């Protein structure tokens, strides 16, 4: 799927948006959960998801087709989320309750509940690495480059996160 992204970028640069919905649908869940990991609020995460793709399109001419687009959107969404918190004088609090979507989609509700429990168990950096790998499908190498951390640090944090999850969550 990643190989097709460069073709989309070339189209978007020419102003051709007929495949944007395919591009968006392929990436929206990964980017959403990257934002949700920080906000723990469904509605705010949805808004910031939209803002991320709007900003991406506004800056499309600067995007290199060979870039890791998932990583680029992850960084962009994280920065927009942090800007949101700064602008609104809000703080990231681990004990904040999750604002669930007002939908009957039990799969998303279950995923959000489990994600909330995992967030309670893990340290913020472990949780971020966990979500980037599990929900966003980034490799450890991609996460290391994205976070500007050694690969060993990333894999160690992920292994610690999995160990904590296994010890604290009964599946």
């Amino acid at each position: 799927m990643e190989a097709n992204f460069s073709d989309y970028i070339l189209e978007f640069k020419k102003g051709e948006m007929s495949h944007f919905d395919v591009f968006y649908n392929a990436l929206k869940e990964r980017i959403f959960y990257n934002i949700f990991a920080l906000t723990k609020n469904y509605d705010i995460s949805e808004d910031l998801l939209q803002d991320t793709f709007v900003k991406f399109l506004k800056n499309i001419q600067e995007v290199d087709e060979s870039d890791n687009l998932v990583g680029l959107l992850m960084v962009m969404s994280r920065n927009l989320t942090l800007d949101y918190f700064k602008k609104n004088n809000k703080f990231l609090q681990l004990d904040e309750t999750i604002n669930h979507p007002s939908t009957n989609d039990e799969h998303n509700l279950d995923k959000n509940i489990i994600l909330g429990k995992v967030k309670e168990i893990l340290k913020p950096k472990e949780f971020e690495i966990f979500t980037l790998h599990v929900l966003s499908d980034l490799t450890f190498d991609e996460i290391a480059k994205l976070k500007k951390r050694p690969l060993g640090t990333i894999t160690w944090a992920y292994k610690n996160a999995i160990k904590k999850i296994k010890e604290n969550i009964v599946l």
Side-chain angles (χ1 to χ4, degrees), residues 21-69:
D21 58 333
V22 176
F23 177 78
Y24 175 79
N25 287 325
L27 295 171
K28 72 178 180 181
E29 188 171 324
R30 291 189 245 179
I31 306 307
F32 173 82
Y33 282 107
N34 183 56
I35 298 167
F36 187 78
L38 295 170
T39 67
K40 295 186 287 178
N41 181 294
Y42 189 88
D43 295 329
I44 292 170
S45 297
E46 281 285 321
D47 290 343
L48 290 168
L49 174 68
Q50 302 307 315
D51 292 347
T52 300
F53 280 93
V54 167
K55 183 175 181 178
F56 175 76
L57 288 176
K58 282 183 179 177
N59 295 302
I60 195 68
Q61 296 303 325
E62 286 84 44
V63 175
D64 185 344
E65 298 81 37
S66 64
D67 284 348
N68 175 348
L69 296 176

Side-chain angles (χ1 to χ4, degrees), residues 31-42 44-45 48 74-85 90-98 115 119 123-125 127-129 131-132 135 147:
I31 306 307
F32 173 82
Y33 282 107
N34 183 56
I35 298 167
F36 187 78
L38 295 170
T39 67
K40 295 186 287 178
N41 181 294
Y42 189 88
I44 292 170
S45 297
L48 290 168
M74 290 291 186
V75 170
M76 195 176 286
S77 67
R78 178 180 172 79
N79 289 342
L80 284 171
T81 302
L82 295 176
D83 288 346
Y84 167 82
F85 281 109
K90 296 190 183 239
F91 298 94
L92 299 173
Q93 297 177 3
L94 291 177
D95 60 340
E96 181 182 332
T97 58
I98 295 175
L115 193 59
K119 186 163 182 84
K123 294 178 182 175
K125 288 181 182 181
F127 183 71
E128 183 177 19
I129 291 167
T131 57
L132 287 172
L135 299 176
K147 303 297 297 164

Side-chain angles (χ1 to χ4, degrees), residues 5 8 25 31 38 41 67 69 100-101 116 120 138 145 155 157:
F5 290 157
Y8 293 138
N25 287 325
I31 306 307
L38 295 170
N41 181 294
D67 284 348
L69 296 176
H100 295 291
E120 291 173 10
L138 293 181
K145 288 176 185 171
T155 56

Side-chain angles (χ1 to χ4, degrees), residues 135-148:
L135 299 176
S136 301
D137 294 327
L138 293 181
T139 66
F140 294 123
D141 193 45
E142 290 170 329
I143 296 169
K145 288 176 185 171
L146 181 67
K147 303 297 297 164
K148 297 181 177 135

